[in-house]
Amino acid sequence: MAEKEQFLARQENPQHALNRVVWIAAIALILVYFFLDPETPGVPRCPVLIFTGWKCPRCGSQRAFHQLLQGNFQQAMSYNLLFIPALVYAGIGWLMENTALGARFPGLKRKVYGFYAILLVLGITISYGIARNLM
Amino acid sequence: MLDQPVPSSAPKTWLAESILATFFCCLPFGIVGIVNAANVESKFRAGDYDGAERASQEARKWTMISFWIGVVGYGLYALFMIGMLFFVATNEGHNF
């Protein structure tokens, strides 16, 4: 029995393998956007902008990410108003889900990440997408 | 149905992951994820625990699809750029 348990412990848990891929991808993304300015010629723009000419709610987030990593918060906000708030919101949400933080503030979690909050997120995303094309 | 235990909290909504997918990969799939996150919460509130679990699985599915499309998309583009750099470097001095 002990041998079998040891064998099972050595086996890679698929969820852990996936988590590792996600972390590697995240670090690669941060490294690339730290050094690469998306305004450099040859760096592709958002496909939505290329094909439709519309600014979708996330347009400008490549440039915003680069500016954020370089520490230029105002510049980042000017490219995409939602980018930094969305990162902060999603980051705290991820911590609430995956660490002890959620169990510590269950009421806050229910309010800020519950049904109405999600509807608000959808509403803000869609209205930002409409508003920035009208302006 | 009555003897089923009532879960104390809703299944994972995948909201954070869906928002990240919206910004870093695929806006439409991210939005589908957020809609499913809302479904998880509304079905759980209505007492439809199986439905909430299904919506959670659906949200997970779209997050995964966005993630792998992102990995393949960024990867192919990086290869393309490296190829272009190599092409330019090896043809330096030539006029086309």
Side-chain angles (χ1 to χ4, degrees):
Chain A
M1 264 327 258
E3 272 170 34
K4 192 185 173 193
E5 271 162 29
Q6 270 182 357
F7 175 76
L8 284 176
R10 269 203 304 274
Q11 287 288 302
E12 183 82 80
N13 177 335
Q15 187 59 49
H16 290 171
L18 181 63
N19 285 349
R20 196 174 307 153
V21 175
V22 172
W23 283 114
I24 291 171
I27 291 166
L29 207 62
I30 288 169
L31 280 178
V32 166
Y33 279 97
F34 180 80
F35 292 109
L36 178 80
D37 184 352
E39 300 222 69
T40 314
V43 177
R45 309 173 88 184
C46 171
V48 178
L49 188 63
I50 293 172
F51 290 116
T52 67
W54 287 2
K55 286 186 185 173
C56 68
R58 65 97 181 261
C59 271
S61 56
Q62 291 192 82
R63 285 165 289 166
F65 193 31
H66 176 67
Q67 294 300 335
L68 174 66
L69 291 174
Q70 296 280 344
N72 307 326
F73 292 94
Q74 281 193 330
Q75 194 77 10
M77 289 299 275
S78 75
Y79 284 130
N80 188 313
L81 261 183
L82 294 186
F83 184 71
I84 293 176
L87 273 194
V88 172
Y89 180 72
I92 297 173
W94 188 87
L95 289 175
M96 288 257 184
E97 194 78 52
N98 294 289
T99 67
L101 202 67
R104 219 156 132 203
F105 305 102
L108 191 71
K109 188 186 171 200
R110 216 172 304 127
K111 268 206 192 88
V112 182
Y113 294 94
F115 180 60
Y116 294 111
I118 300 173
L119 286 192
L120 193 64
V121 167
L122 266 181
I124 290 174
T125 309
I126 293 167
S127 11
Y128 183 55
I130 296 171
R132 67 191 316 202
N133 282 293
L134 296 181
M135 285 192 290
Chain B
M1 284 307 271
L2 278 176
D3 54 346
Q4 247 189 14
V6 174
S8 59
S9 66
K12 191 171 157 64
T13 59
W14 294 89
L15 178 65
E17 289 85 348
S18 299
I19 291 173
L20 293 178
T22 304
F23 279 92
F24 290 103
C25 169
C26 324
L27 178 97
F29 300 159
I31 301 285
V32 173
I34 300 174
V35 170
N36 274 300
N39 269 340
V40 173
E41 289 284 341
S42 72
K43 288 192 166 142
F44 183 79
R45 282 180 173 212
D48 178 7
Y49 304 120
D50 291 340
E53 188 57 51
R54 273 198 304 279
S56 175
Q57 286 303 317
E58 191 74 5
R60 179 183 189 278
K61 186 180 89 186
W62 287 106
T63 307
M64 289 295 152
I65 291 174
S66 305
F67 177 70
W68 289 114
I69 289 180
V71 167
V72 171
Y74 280 104
L76 283 180
Y77 183 71
L79 279 179
F80 173 75
M81 285 301 266
I82 292 166
M84 285 297 279
L85 282 177
F86 186 72
F87 181 78
V88 170
T90 52
N91 287 286
E92 208 151 6
H94 291 253
N95 284 319
F96 290 103

